[in-house]
């Protein structure tokens, strides 16, 4: 709801309020936090202004902009902090002061050529005019009531009669009063995405990407928390950008202790020629606030992403269990091998086979053929049409990997169009490939037709869209020297045009965004592709950290999570098959290995896993997510159904230390007055789990690796005792429950839990009828 009285603007969601007014002709920020009881309370939240402090520049009436909380700041003109907009005016000056002109409410607005959140509430448009010329800044606010979120973006309109250069146009400015804050960002690199970093907010802190994509180096999502905030209590603000290119975020403390947060598309190297009568739009940024700590603001973001970012037909649609060919077959693909893998996949209950890299002409390794998107008829006789027929007979869907933004030097496309790549003079190559120049319409048309041909030619139900390198030389031969600062943004606009065309023509195809894993995991891509490949690292231990990081800003319903072979191909770590599965359950389950390499027992276990996941798929994918416990040595996550009648939890232990004291696991999200039955699941324990320790009780000496040991393994079976407890939601949430004690070198009984290193157990709550 939006309320306006005497130029005081109050935007309310279900639990939060955002307020600003007009003071001295400029927009003054008042408040962002929990709802206040009376509308007139918001006007009382403004701090008393400092009049002419020291040598600060002042406005009429002696008020200093340096200490005024503002909705938007131009460069210079008394603004000593970060600016929302920075323009080189026609006369060469940069100082800009924007005065309130008028506002409009209602209507549907979206930034041109950029993705936009959907199904929002009322929108407020506030128009400001630069004091010295006909330059207008439009600020847009859309309320998303039930997500407790507000989307913001900016438009700059040039009516001066002359051209000017935009050097910065951000999407959000949020000024917070003096307090003790912490900035939380998510850094990393390939195979270790979304590593949480907490920094005391002193001075100026920046989170940004300058490599052309939203980046595994620093995700656009960030949080600011007030001192004392915990997982479930305290004030936390969160922001995220609906954009897939360079981005810039900054949280800076001014000389008086107040904090300004800004976010938008990248400013490093950016410039934009804005002619008379033209406008420039920023991407959208979403902001949310919660008084319920990091968990509360996470759930706001999850609600926003699920219902206002993901396309409607995919918001509540359960995702298929897939098998990806990459780590099983790599480049050694053939129709016969894929048919064999598809039959194995069907046998364990999987629903989709994804043909990864290596299917097109000339692609025997990663040094060649990118850009030549034609099936290799030696590997795939009959192409995808023939392979789709094979899949139909088997009863499984077909998916295909592509990397259409790239080109290999050894390719027909490069030989025909070497001028289509990004780069200046001597081009930098990465991963044996160049980046195509998507600022050019003809390149975008080629990419669109290449992917559309694949989708038209066979019954392909899924596309994994990859991008395996960063931009190192953002230069386009198609633009003049004075316009090179536009290339990075024009590239992203070109990408969005391609994705818009494809998703409109093929609305039922499931697209997954990948960029060497999570190098382009952002809300912009999620507007077109309802899921992202979270990381190339499928190791369960690493994924426990990676998926935890994602969970702060992204719901599990958009995160691809696969079970791979052991030892893992990224870490060489051996982990139990069950813990690899349990970790992947808290996302979109897939398998990335050659199922034919598994033993009979392992295949049976995988079939049980897939059946279990499909039985509880809606809960795993769309349940409300809680990070209940995360320590150096263990974690406990839960997903709870929307009606709170069912929940699932994972307890994951990194290192199993003997003779440890017991601690209760406390649940979250359950209804206090509902009675639940909690059950764990019986797990088979095999003789090799104990190694030579079995000789303590064996009447004959058993040596691992011998035929006698193998016979004993088949003959002797152990099962852990499942746990079953009936109690109220309040008991589970406040008192908790004690897991079955772990084996501790004193003999194994049915009452013990044989937890290894990097092991886990699932727990299931169901309302007792």
């Amino acid at each position: 709801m939006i309320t306006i009285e005497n130029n005081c603007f109050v935007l309310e969601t279900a639990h939060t309020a955002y307020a600003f007014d007009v003071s001295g002709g400029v927009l003054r920020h008042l408040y962002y936090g929990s709802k206040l009881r009376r509308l007139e309370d918001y006007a009382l939240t403004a701090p008393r202004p400092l009049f002419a402090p020291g040598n600060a520049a002042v406005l009429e009436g002696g008020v200093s902009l340096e200490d005024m909380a503002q909705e938007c700041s131009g460069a210079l003109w008394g603004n000593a902090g970060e600016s929302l907009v920075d323009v080189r005016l026609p006369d060469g000056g940069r100082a800009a002061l924007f005065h309130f002109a008028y506002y409009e409410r209602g209507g549907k607005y979206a930034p041109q050529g950029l993705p936009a959140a959907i199904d929002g509430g009322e929108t407020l448009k506030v128009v400001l005019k630069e004091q010295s010329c006909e330059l207008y800044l439009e600020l847009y606010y859309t309320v998303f009531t039930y997500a407790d979120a507000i989307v913001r973006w900016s438009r700059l309109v040039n009516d001066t009669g002359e051209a000017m250069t935009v050097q910065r146009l951000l999407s959000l400015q949020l000024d917070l009063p003096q307090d003790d804050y912490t900035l939380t960002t998510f850094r990393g690199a390939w195979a270790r995405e979304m590593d949480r970093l907490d920094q005391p907010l002193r001075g100026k802190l920046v989170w940004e990407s300058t490599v052309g994509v939203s980046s595994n180096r620093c995700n656009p999502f960030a949080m600011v928390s007030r001192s004392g905030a915990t997982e479930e209590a305290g004030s936390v603000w969160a922001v995220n950008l609906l954009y897939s290119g360079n981005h810039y975020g900054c949280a800076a403390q001014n000389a008086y202790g107040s904090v300004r947060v800004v976010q938008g598309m990248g400013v490093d190297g950016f410039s934009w020629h804005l002619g008379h009568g033209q406008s420039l739009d920023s991407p959208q940024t979403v902001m949310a606030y919660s008084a319920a700590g990091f968990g509360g603001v996470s759930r706001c973001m999850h609600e926003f992403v699920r219902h206002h970012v993901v396309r409607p037909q995919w918001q509540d649609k359960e995702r298929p269990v897939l098998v990806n060919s990459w780590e099983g077959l790599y480049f050694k693909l053939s129709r016969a091998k894929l048919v064999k893998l598809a039959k194995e996949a069907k046998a364990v209950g999987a629903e989709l086979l994804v043909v990864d890299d290596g299917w097109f002409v000339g692609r025997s390794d990663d040094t060649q053929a990118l850009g030549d998107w034609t099936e290799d008829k030696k590997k795939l006789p009959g192409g995808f049409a023939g392979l789709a027929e094979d899949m139909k007979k088997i009863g499984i869907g077909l998916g295909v990997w592509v990397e259409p933004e790239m080109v290999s030097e050894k390719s027909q496309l490069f030989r025909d169009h070497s001028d289509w790549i990004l780069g200046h003079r001597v081009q930098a190559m990465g991963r044996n490939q160049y980046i195509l120049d998507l600022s050019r319409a003809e390149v975008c048309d080629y990419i669109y037709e290449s992917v559309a041909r694949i989708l038209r030619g066979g019954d392909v139900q899924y596309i994994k869209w990859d991008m395996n390198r960063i931009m190192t030389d953002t230069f386009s031969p198609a633009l003049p020297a004075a316009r090179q600062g536009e290339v990075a943004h024009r590239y992203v606009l070109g990408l969005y045009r391609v994705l818009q065309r494809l998703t409109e023509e093929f609305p039922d195809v499931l697209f997954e965004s990948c960029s060497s894993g999570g190098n382009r995991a952002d809300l912009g891509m999620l507007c077109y592709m309802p899921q992202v490949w979270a990381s190339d690292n499928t190791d369960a231990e690493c994924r426990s950290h990676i998926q935890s990081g994602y969970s702060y800003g992204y719901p599990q319903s958009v995160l691809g999570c696969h079970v791979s072979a052991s030892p893992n191909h990224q870490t060489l770590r051996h982990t139990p098959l069950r813990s690899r599965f349990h970790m992947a359950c808290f996302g979109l389950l897939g398998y990335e290995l050659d199922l034919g390499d598994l033993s009979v027992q392992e295949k049976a276990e995988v079939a049980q896993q897939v059946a279990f996941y499909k039985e509880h798929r809606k809960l795993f994918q769309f349940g409300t997510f809680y990070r209940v416990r995360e320590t150096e040595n263990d974690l406990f996550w839960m997903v709870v159904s929307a009606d709170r009648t069912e929940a699932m939890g994972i307890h994951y232990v990194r290192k199993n230390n003997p003779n440890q004291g017991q601690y209760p696991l406390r649940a979250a999200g359950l209804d206090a007055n509902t009675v639940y039955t909690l059950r764990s699941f019986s797990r088979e324990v095999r003789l090799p789990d104990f190694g030579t320790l079995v000789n303590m009780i064996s009447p004959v000496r058993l040596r691992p690796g011998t035929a006698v040991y193998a016979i004993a393994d088949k003959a002797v079976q152990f099962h852990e005792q499942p746990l079953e407890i009936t109690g109220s939601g309040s008991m589970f949430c406040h008192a908790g429950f004690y897991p079955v004690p772990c084996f501790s070198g004193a003999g194994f009984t049915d009452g013990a839990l044989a937890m290894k290193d990097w092991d886990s157990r699932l727990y299931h709550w169901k309302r007792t009828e």
Side-chain angles (χ1 to χ4, degrees):
M1 183 173 70
I2 298 174
T3 305
I4 305 169
E5 285 189 7
N6 300 320
N7 281 340
C8 180
F9 303 83
V10 179
L11 291 70
E12 292 181 314
T13 68
H15 303 99
T16 71
Y18 185 93
F20 60 93
D21 67 3
V22 180
S23 177
V26 299
L27 293 186
R28 176 178 61 170
H29 177 72
L30 295 175
Y31 176 81
Y32 187 28
S34 297
K35 271 186 179 179
L36 304 182
R37 184 175 180 182
R38 306 181 312 155
L39 189 66
E40 53 266 34
D41 289 342
Y42 295 103
L44 303 176
T45 62
R48 297 185 183 278
L50 296 176
F51 288 91
N55 58 359
V58 295
L59 298 178
E60 183 178 346
V63 177
S64 168
L65 285 180
E66 188 171 349
D67 190 54
M68 177 189 284
Q70 300 172 66
E71 278 301 290
C72 64
S73 297
L76 308 177
W77 199 264
N79 174 40
E82 289 286 313
S83 62
L84 182 86
V85 58
D86 188 350
V87 180
R88 184 71 67 178
L89 298 171
D91 61 3
R94 288 175 56 217
L97 180 63
F98 289 92
H99 282 134
F100 172 74
Y102 64 92
Y103 70 87
E104 297 175 0
R105 58 188 302 174
K108 297 293 184 181
Y109 303 96
Q112 297 177 6
L114 290 160
I118 56 176
D119 298 331
E122 192 174 9
T123 295
L124 172 67
K125 172 184 173 181
V126 180
V127 179
L128 302 99
K129 179 185 176 297
E130 208 284 318
Q131 64 176 353
S132 64
C133 64
E134 300 295 315
L135 177 64
Y136 294 90
L137 178 62
E138 300 174 359
L139 305 179
Y140 294 86
Y141 305 77
T142 301
V143 176
F144 293 80
T145 302
Y146 298 109
D148 278 324
I150 297 172
V151 163
R152 298 176 59 178
W153 59 282
S154 311
R155 171 175 289 162
L156 201 59
V157 181
N158 179 11
D159 280 335
T160 64
E162 302 177 79
M164 59 182 64
T165 301
V166 182
Q167 300 179 146
R168 168 188 294 210
L169 180 62
L170 301 184
S171 309
L172 168 145
Q173 178 177 316
L174 173 62
D175 286 7
L176 297 174
Q178 184 183 78
D179 213 322
D180 186 10
Y181 298 105
T182 295
L183 175 67
T184 300
T185 55
F186 295 85
R187 314 289 176 135
W190 175 79
R192 50 182 179 86
E193 292 88 345
M194 296 300 288
D195 186 18
R196 175 177 167 170
L197 175 64
D198 296 323
Q199 297 172 280
L201 216 169
R202 301 286 185 272
K204 179 178 178 178
L205 299 176
V206 171
W207 72 101
E208 66 176 337
S209 170
T210 60
V211 295
V213 286
S214 55
S215 182
N216 48 32
R217 292 157 177 79
C218 188
N219 196 270
F221 175 73
M223 300 181 291
V224 173
S225 56
R226 186 174 286 148
S227 177
T230 65
E231 180 65 19
E232 294 301 332
S235 291
V236 182
W237 296 262
V239 296
N240 204 351
L241 191 66
L242 281 73
Y243 191 64
S244 308
N246 291 336
H247 63 86
Y248 177 78
C250 176
Q253 189 181 49
N254 72 8
Y256 303 99
S258 300
V259 167
R260 174 167 296 168
V261 179
V262 296
Q263 187 177 45
M265 57 185 170
V267 299
D268 183 66
F270 174 82
S271 65
W272 192 273
H273 177 85
L274 194 65
H276 170 68
Q278 295 180 342
S279 62
L280 175 65
D281 291 353
S282 78
Q284 291 186 337
T285 282
V286 57
M287 63 181 186
Y289 166 82
S290 177
F294 297 105
V297 86
S298 292
R299 288 184 283 279
C300 292
M301 283 297 186
H302 290 191
E303 173 71 15
F304 176 78
V305 174
R306 278 191 55 205
H307 293 113
H308 303 294
V309 172
V310 172
R311 287 182 287 142
Q313 60 265 51
W314 293 102
Q315 288 177 3
D316 300 308
K317 187 172 183 178
E318 296 178 11
R319 309 294 199 273
V321 177
L322 62 85
V323 172
N324 186 289
S325 70
W326 179 242
E327 289 191 11
L329 302 177
Y330 287 104
F331 289 106
K332 299 175 182 178
L333 297 176
S334 70
R335 184 171 177 175
K337 290 179 181 178
L338 291 169
V339 167
K340 181 176 180 293
L341 184 58
K343 290 178 178 177
E344 297 275 12
K346 179 66 175 178
V348 299
E351 299 155 313
L352 184 75
L353 177 73
V354 179
V355 181
D356 211 285
D357 198 354
W359 56 264
F360 43 101
V361 173
R363 188 66 166 176
S364 56
D365 55 41
D366 66 2
T367 67
Q368 55 195 327
L370 285 176
D372 299 341
W373 301 106
T374 303
E375 301 97 314
D376 186 335
K377 295 301 176 66
K378 292 181 180 179
K379 292 182 177 181
L380 299 178
F384 285 127
L387 188 61
E389 285 299 316
D390 293 336
M391 299 300 108
K392 190 175 295 184
K393 291 175 184 176
I394 295 168
I396 197 168
L398 176 63
V400 176
W401 173 95
V402 293
E403 193 179 3
E405 298 164 69
M406 301 293 155
V407 63
S408 303
E409 189 172 26
K410 298 177 182 177
S411 69
Q412 189 60 49
L413 178 63
F414 186 83
R415 288 188 287 271
D416 293 343
H417 297 286
S418 60
D419 60 323
W420 277 11
I421 66 172
L422 287 177
H424 182 236
R425 300 175 184 171
V426 179
Q427 291 86 0
M429 182 179 286
R431 204 177 178 268
N432 302 307
Q433 59 200 52
Y434 297 118
I435 303 178
L436 291 171
D437 182 1
L438 271 71
S439 71
R440 303 174 64 150
E442 62 271 33
V443 173
C444 292
D445 290 341
Y446 178 84
I447 291 173
Y448 164 76
E449 288 297 339
S450 296
V451 178
R453 185 193 60 79
I454 295 169
L455 293 172
R456 296 184 193 119
D459 187 15
V460 175
Q461 301 164 20
Y462 165 102
I463 288 288
K464 181 178 180 181
W465 185 297
D466 213 339
M467 186 206 188
N468 278 315
R469 61 158 293 184
I470 62 173
M471 295 183 187
T472 53
D473 191 0
T474 313
F475 178 89
S476 172
L479 288 174
R483 306 287 292 270
Q484 291 300 318
E486 303 175 12
V487 174
H489 184 50
R490 288 187 179 277
Y491 180 99
V492 178
L493 294 175
L495 173 64
Y496 289 152
R497 285 195 298 273
V498 172
L499 297 182
Q500 184 69 31
R501 292 176 68 186
L502 287 170
T503 53
E504 285 179 354
E505 184 174 350
F506 306 100
D508 297 323
V509 171
L510 175 57
F511 286 85
E512 179 174 273
S513 174
C514 175
S515 183
S516 295
N519 201 29
R520 198 162 61 185
D522 60 69
L523 300 186
M525 294 304 289
L526 285 171
C527 286
Y528 304 98
M529 304 186 179
Q531 60 192 62
V532 298
W533 179 228
S535 177
D536 282 348
N537 189 345
T538 52
D539 174 75
E541 163 61 13
C542 294
R543 274 301 186 111
S544 72
H545 299 281
I546 293 168
Q547 289 172 219
S548 174
Y550 274 112
S551 73
Y552 286 90
Y554 302 88
Q556 72 276 12
S557 59
V558 304
L559 302 176
C561 303
H562 292 181
V563 177
S564 59
S566 184
N568 178 264
H569 288 202
Q570 289 78 49
T571 64
L572 300 183
R573 196 192 328 266
H574 291 268
T575 53
L577 178 56
R578 60 177 170 255
S579 62
R580 286 174 270 155
F581 166 67
H582 292 165
M583 196 59 62
C585 276
F586 286 77
L588 307 176
L589 177 66
Y591 288 80
E592 189 135 351
L593 72 174
D594 189 343
L595 294 167
D597 292 340
L598 301 181
S599 67
V600 173
Q601 294 92 337
E602 288 172 327
K603 289 181 182 178
E605 185 175 351
V606 169
Q608 292 173 353
Q609 291 174 352
V610 173
F612 177 84
Y613 182 81
K614 288 160 75 172
E615 180 184 356
H616 302 285
R617 173 161 38 193
K618 184 177 181 180
L619 176 60
F620 278 124
Q621 294 185 358
F622 302 114
T624 303
F625 183 87
Y626 293 87
R627 293 177 299 270
V628 188
R629 172 188 173 94
E630 290 190 347
T631 73
E632 289 186 359
N633 198 50
D634 74 333
L635 64 78
F636 184 45
W637 296 338
M638 288 181 63
V639 284
V640 182
S641 64
D643 61 6
R644 298 202 288 177
T645 61
E646 187 179 13
M648 197 76 70
I650 176 178
H651 185 216
Y652 172 77
V653 177
R654 307 186 197 287
K655 294 291 184 180
N656 181 27
N657 297 310
N659 198 25
Q660 294 292 299
Q662 285 188 296
Y663 52 85
L665 295 176
R666 296 181 178 89
L670 302 179
D671 179 67
N673 298 315
T674 297
V675 176
Y676 298 89
T677 297
L678 166 67
R679 292 184 177 89
S680 64
F681 302 94
S682 177
R683 306 188 310 177
E684 182 179 304
V685 183
R686 296 181 55 208
L687 217 57
D689 293 330
F690 298 99
T692 58
L693 181 62
V694 299
N695 290 306
M696 182 179 179
I697 60 172
S698 175
V700 296
R701 183 74 179 175
L702 297 176
R703 298 183 184 279
T706 64
V708 175
Y709 197 99
I711 293 171
D713 180 28
K714 293 181 180 179
V716 180
Q717 292 185 342
F718 301 95
H719 286 87
E720 296 171 338
Q721 179 180 344
L723 184 70
E724 183 169 323
I725 302 172
T726 297
S728 68
S730 62
M731 185 277 289
F732 284 117
C733 291
H734 297 301
F737 69 95
Y738 287 92
V740 174
C742 288
F743 169 81
S744 191
F748 179 79
T749 69
D750 285 344
L753 183 63
M755 291 283 280
K756 305 176 182 180
D757 289 346
W758 307 299
D759 208 347
S760 59
R761 197 170 202 187
L762 285 183
Y763 296 94
H764 182 220
W765 286 261
K766 187 77 172 178
R767 182 179 64 188
T768 301
E769 299 296 340

